[in-house]
Amino acid sequence: MAYGLSEGTLAVSPMLQFSQVSFSYQQRSILKDFSLQIDKGEFVSVIGPSGVGKSTLFHLANGLLQPDAGQIMLGDNGESNLLGKVGYMPQKDLLLPWRTVLENAALPLEIKGMKQEAAYRQVREQLPIFGLEGWADAYPEQLSGGMRQRVSLLRATLTGSQLLLLDEPFSALDGITKMEMQEWLLSLWRQLGITVLLITHDIEEAILLADRVLVLKAAPVQEAVEVPVSLGRPREGRLRYDPAFLAIREQIWDILTDAINAAGERGRRA
Amino acid sequence: MNPKNAKGTARWFLSSMALFLIMWEGICRGFSIPAFILPPPSDVFRSLWDIREQLFGIHLWVTLREALLGLLLAILFGIGLSMAMTFSRIVERLVYPYLVISQTIPIIALSPIFILWFGYDLSGKIAVTVLFTFFPIVVSLYDGLRHTDPDMVNLLRTMGATQKQIFWKLQIPSSLPHFFSGLKVAATYSVAGATIGEWLGSSAGLGYFARRASGNFQAPALFASVVLLSLMGILLFWLVSLLEKRYFKTNDHIQK
């Protein structure tokens, strides 16, 4: 079954819902009557060609942008003011260079008005889980790319939100570090019982991590093509050579190639 | 800069300075240049020693006080105006263009007007010093505040940060390197401001002393006061650098 943690332990209930959302940026329609539901505890990947509006989707989900029409709701009670309620990890790690690992990670707690001492205590408790034990007082510049991403992710989880939006978190990492980070992210997801929505350019990554993959074909997006990933969990890196994995990979590849060819057609006609 | 490097820099500076002074002395003596045109450094230092009581007893402190008070006031005004421009689009649109235009007016031409307005006592000198130091401070600080990484601002907003939190936790720290560069320039300008304020009318201070010496063709005394003014500028610059280093003691990462 496709639902990770939620399977058997929790009743399926929505974490994030887009209903009939439309959004345009500079007169270019990006989403049109777009609907989407992410359930609690799910791990969902979003993939699509550059410029299709993946980041826009995230900025709508974290409250930075407001839809022109339609509704975006968080959780059961239909929360609609989303700023401060969703854990967001941007593509760049965006660590503040003048703050240590400890101070960077404590930022969301500080913003919520927590006392510094309590905030630091909470960060220190989390450091080992994120492989950052002993690095509390290091500055971002002293860290490797993988470690910086882990600090950034720690900071996102400390917003206290049950929903994490990860925007190509590993795209700047080398292949080996990337594989380590993927397995580690999966174990973190299991441990924390959170819901994750992940943008990626990497088909393998999208499949390996997620319960289902949403493929965005071309703007304006009306509907995401949904590809369920019916592979068991826990998953390991080796899974990427499994025939079932390869079949899903081919399926997504075909959808993307279609989308790119169609876009090319439109380009030639225009 | 590591200590070895610093030592090397100091050695180069001292040697080049010594060479410069020797050449100066040699030219004055070799070409028999009259002392009221260009006194040899030996005369300048002798004069510095002879009139030490006047210079170090009164004039140096008068000028230093004017420069420091003016600089302090300019920092306060500068912070106030930069914050107002950051928080209010209206203030920014009203003020910023004039701020830029005002920098094209020669400050020295405005100085007599400021003396006229603020008087021939201490307040006049402070006003001219503020005039000299205000712009580098406000422009550097405001540019620093304005050029905060928009992605970082957005990230803080997703954490639910208020405008005020974004200002204190993000904009202020990321503008500090800009602020310190502006402050270093302003620190040296403050000496010029105080000197010109004194030139325009006063009864004490190194600027006043230099002007009087120049009127009396006492070139060595004039040069002596100029040497002190230059040292004062260097001292203030160094103090700001020290403050900057102290602030960024734990890391120099912020500079990048």
Side-chain angles (χ1 to χ4, degrees):
Chain A
M1 286 300 300
Y3 281 104
L5 243 205
S6 65
E7 176 190 2
T9 57
L10 291 166
V12 172
S13 60
M15 184 75 230
L16 178 71
Q17 265 182 299
F18 278 58
S19 349
Q20 314 245 290
V21 170
S22 295
F23 182 81
S24 305
Y25 180 72
Q26 291 177 344
Q27 288 167 3
R28 184 170 163 262
S29 177
I30 294 173
L31 296 180
K32 201 173 163 192
D33 286 332
F34 178 80
S35 295
L36 170 72
Q37 177 168 333
I38 309 290
D39 290 327
K40 278 191 181 151
E42 253 193 312
F43 197 129
V44 177
S45 298
V46 179
I47 200 165
S50 300
V52 76
K54 301 186 294 282
S55 290
T56 305
L57 188 74
F58 267 28
H59 286 169
L60 285 163
N62 65 23
L64 283 176
L65 295 174
Q66 294 299 321
D68 300 334
Q71 268 193 313
I72 300 168
M73 289 183 298
L74 190 67
D76 305 313
N77 39 10
E79 194 82 64
S80 60
N81 177 15
L82 299 168
L83 281 177
K85 301 198 178 76
V86 176
Y88 169 55
M89 179 179 168
Q91 212 165 335
K92 293 185 277 176
D93 57 64
L94 295 183
L95 299 175
L96 307 183
W98 58 87
R99 282 177 172 238
T100 60
V101 167
L102 182 69
E103 291 161 350
N104 261 297
L107 192 61
L109 300 174
E110 244 177 82
I111 284 172
K112 291 210 159 57
M114 191 185 276
K115 287 254 162 52
Q116 195 180 63
E117 202 184 323
Y120 286 178
R121 202 180 319 123
Q122 195 176 335
V123 174
R124 282 184 195 283
E125 280 168 14
Q126 300 286 320
L127 286 177
I129 305 175
F130 286 78
L132 293 165
E133 205 170 12
W135 290 90
D137 298 320
Y139 285 92
E141 202 193 53
Q142 295 163 284
L143 306 179
S144 67
M147 291 176 89
R148 292 169 66 111
Q149 291 304 89
R150 286 202 295 263
V151 178
S152 177
L153 192 57
L154 168 58
R155 181 177 59 185
T157 60
L158 284 172
T159 55
S161 168
Q162 288 304 300
L163 173 64
L164 283 191
L165 306 176
L166 312 181
D167 190 350
E168 298 192 34
F170 310 136
S171 61
L173 302 179
D174 66 86
I176 293 171
T177 312
K178 189 170 172 172
M179 281 195 318
E180 283 171 9
M181 292 287 290
Q182 287 165 347
E183 294 201 13
W184 171 80
L185 176 62
L186 278 180
S187 74
L188 187 78
W189 170 66
R190 269 200 308 275
Q191 250 174 301
L192 300 181
I194 46 180
T195 310
V196 177
L197 191 56
L198 170 99
I199 289 182
T200 177
H201 267 129
D202 178 341
I203 303 182
E204 254 186 21
E205 178 173 274
I207 304 167
L208 187 65
L209 300 178
D211 298 315
R212 54 189 168 119
V213 178
L214 302 175
V215 187
L216 305 184
K217 289 171 75 172
V221 178
Q222 271 177 297
E223 202 181 359
V225 181
E226 192 174 319
V227 180
V229 181
S230 35
L231 299 167
R233 290 192 189 267
R235 294 182 191 164
E236 287 176 352
R238 294 196 57 79
L239 194 65
R240 65 189 89 215
Y241 304 109
D242 190 286
F245 186 100
L246 293 173
I248 300 170
R249 190 182 161 146
E250 196 176 358
Q251 191 185 350
I252 294 175
W253 175 257
D254 287 343
I255 299 169
L256 281 173
T257 325
D258 257 12
I260 292 161
N261 287 341
E265 287 288 319
R266 270 201 303 279
R268 269 192 292 281
R269 259 181 285 144
Chain B
M1 197 185 288
N2 63 46
K4 205 176 162 189
N5 225 332
K7 227 172 163 181
T9 309
R11 202 167 20 230
W12 270 96
F13 176 72
L14 290 177
S15 335
S16 66
M17 180 57 89
L19 190 70
F20 174 70
L21 290 175
I22 289 166
M23 279 173 63
W24 177 0
E25 186 83 33
I27 289 169
C28 286
R29 291 183 189 278
F31 295 95
S32 310
I33 296 171
F36 66 88
I37 303 281
L38 180 66
S42 54
D43 275 13
V44 174
F45 289 119
R46 194 175 311 124
S47 167
L48 197 60
W49 178 254
D50 290 343
I51 53 177
R52 64 186 181 277
E53 270 172 34
Q54 289 180 63
L55 289 180
F56 292 97
I58 318 162
H59 300 300
L60 178 72
W61 302 110
V62 170
T63 307
L64 187 62
R65 184 171 72 153
E66 290 159 1
L68 285 177
L69 285 174
L71 190 59
L72 197 69
L73 216 58
I75 293 173
L76 291 179
F77 283 155
I79 291 175
L81 186 61
S82 319
M83 278 179 67
M85 287 197 297
T86 307
F87 279 117
S88 160
R89 281 287 291 164
I90 298 172
V91 174
E92 196 238 291
R93 286 188 173 183
L94 277 177
V95 175
Y96 196 72
Y98 296 100
L99 207 62
V100 175
I101 294 169
S102 71
Q103 295 206 70
T104 63
I105 305 171
I107 300 173
I108 199 155
L110 282 179
S111 306
I113 301 174
F114 266 58
I115 291 288
L116 192 71
W117 289 345
F118 293 95
Y120 286 87
D121 51 2
L122 181 63
S123 54
K125 278 73 168 179
I126 292 177
V128 175
T129 309
V130 170
L131 183 68
F132 269 71
T133 51
F134 179 65
F135 297 116
I137 291 173
V138 79
V139 168
S140 60
L141 183 56
Y142 177 64
D143 278 354
L145 289 171
R146 206 172 44 159
H147 286 124
T148 310
D149 185 347
D151 290 339
M152 288 200 176
V153 175
N154 276 341
L155 180 70
L156 262 72
R157 287 180 58 215
T158 68
M159 295 176 188
T162 59
Q163 274 293 310
K164 208 172 126 192
Q165 284 174 322
I166 290 174
F167 184 75
W168 288 108
K169 291 183 196 300
L170 182 62
Q171 288 183 290
I172 285 283
S174 51
S175 69
L176 277 179
H178 297 261
F179 174 65
F180 275 113
S181 345
L183 194 57
K184 276 192 232 170
V185 174
T188 52
Y189 280 14
S190 70
V191 177
T195 308
I196 285 167
E198 287 167 1
W199 258 349
L200 294 171
S202 88
S203 52
L206 289 172
Y208 155 79
F209 186 85
R211 197 178 173 200
R212 204 183 60 178
S214 138
N216 295 339
F217 294 101
Q218 294 168 332
L222 170 62
F223 274 70
S225 52
V226 170
V227 166
L228 280 189
L229 283 169
S230 149
L231 287 177
M232 194 188 290
I234 294 171
L235 177 82
L236 289 178
F237 183 90
W238 178 73
L239 280 176
V240 175
S241 310
L242 210 67
L243 205 69
E244 187 184 24
K245 279 220 185 79
R246 200 187 154 80
Y247 190 83
F248 302 129
K249 197 172 165 189
T250 40
N251 66 112
D252 48 331
H253 314 77
I254 193 167
Q255 302 285 5
K256 294 175 183 171

